[in-house]
Amino acid sequence: MTYKVGIPQGLLFYDYYPLWKEFLNELGTEVILSKKTNKTILDQGVSNCVDEACLPVKVFHGHVCDLKDKVDYLFIPKFVSIYKKEFICPKFLGLPEMVKNTIEDLPPIIDIEINLRKSNLNLLKAVIKTGQYFTSNLSKIAMAYNKALKHYERYLDLINQGIVPIEAVKMYNLSLKRNKSFNQNNLNIMILGHSYNLYDEHISMNLIKKLQSQDINVLTPEMIDTDQINQHSSRLPKRMFWSFGRKIIGSAFSAIEEKSIHGIIYVSSFGCGIDSILIDLVERKARENSIPFTLLTLDEHTGEAGVNTRVEAFIDMIRWRGKDESNISTHG
Ligand code: SF4
């Protein structure tokens, strides 16, 4: 029997999908994805999640609703920590429990714990535990995971070449390598925020594509070299122990100090505690270096027309500033 395993297209989807998909496929299962986020998924998420949750967590619940009647298992790992001595947002830790307690008639959930705070050994345990849902053969599990890692490395390579994860996720298993260097004549705009806000086209209202269609080079945290991120984030007076925070701060500071960008758009979810700290740090650094900065705060009530107007005004301001109005405020 081929088991169907559902992976919701939400939260850490763009961070790890190629790894989990190939691993589960190698174990002989069929991976089923929820649909891309749309209004129905958003509405289902909002009505099946606690009001206090942030937008991406609500959207994730909508993806679970979309999948639950189509699969034998749902894959919802319990992420505690993804780097040594660091944590990620506690919402990830409680995610499987939240889903179980708010959505009825769910299939069994593969809710293995990923906790690399003390050592990477825990990842091995998580891999074995996931594999054991489908086979007792440990060498089959190890081989499946090693093959999946190779696909995942190709995915990360594509992103390092300047391909945004929305595109890279479609390309990684085609063994095609596209060398996409930025057009030197275009504006370079950095979009900051969590991967699940930036790359979900419904949540971000297609921000990346809209900018690219105006011949703007888009840079995101995932496209910045890890060493650069670590080097720049380590200069903070206090250690950033949130992994997402370290990545966002390190990538922003790196791009700002290298003067490789013309502006920053920060995409945040309403009520996100981590973002409230990051936004302040990035905005100060941008202001010190005369890099225009603007913030888009999103929730389920945000209208696309308002977002478009803000973004258009911001881009126009940067273009005017570049041409002949160098005294225009850098604070969008
Ligand atoms: S980091 Fe912020 S946006 Fe992400 S899950 Fe936590 S509260 Fe939500």
Side-chain angles (χ1 to χ4, degrees), residues 157-163 171 176-183:
D157 267 2
L158 288 170
I159 296 171
N160 283 337
Q161 286 174 42
I163 294 170
M171 296 163 70
L176 88 125
K177 294 224 163 190
R178 196 172 64 175
N179 226 343
K180 186 181 166 191
S181 52
F182 279 1
N183 185 330

Side-chain angles (χ1 to χ4, degrees), residues 54 56-57 89 91-92 194 196-197 244 269 272 274:
C54 58
V57 168
C89 172
K91 301 241 166 69
F92 288 88
H194 302 281
Y196 35 88
N197 288 333
F244 297 155
S269 313
C272 172
I274 296 179

Side-chain angles (χ1 to χ4, degrees), residues 56 78 92 109 121 140 149 170 262:
K78 186 185 293 181
F92 288 88
I109 295 183
L121 266 184
K140 184 175 175 187
L149 267 183
K170 296 177 205 151
H262 298 100

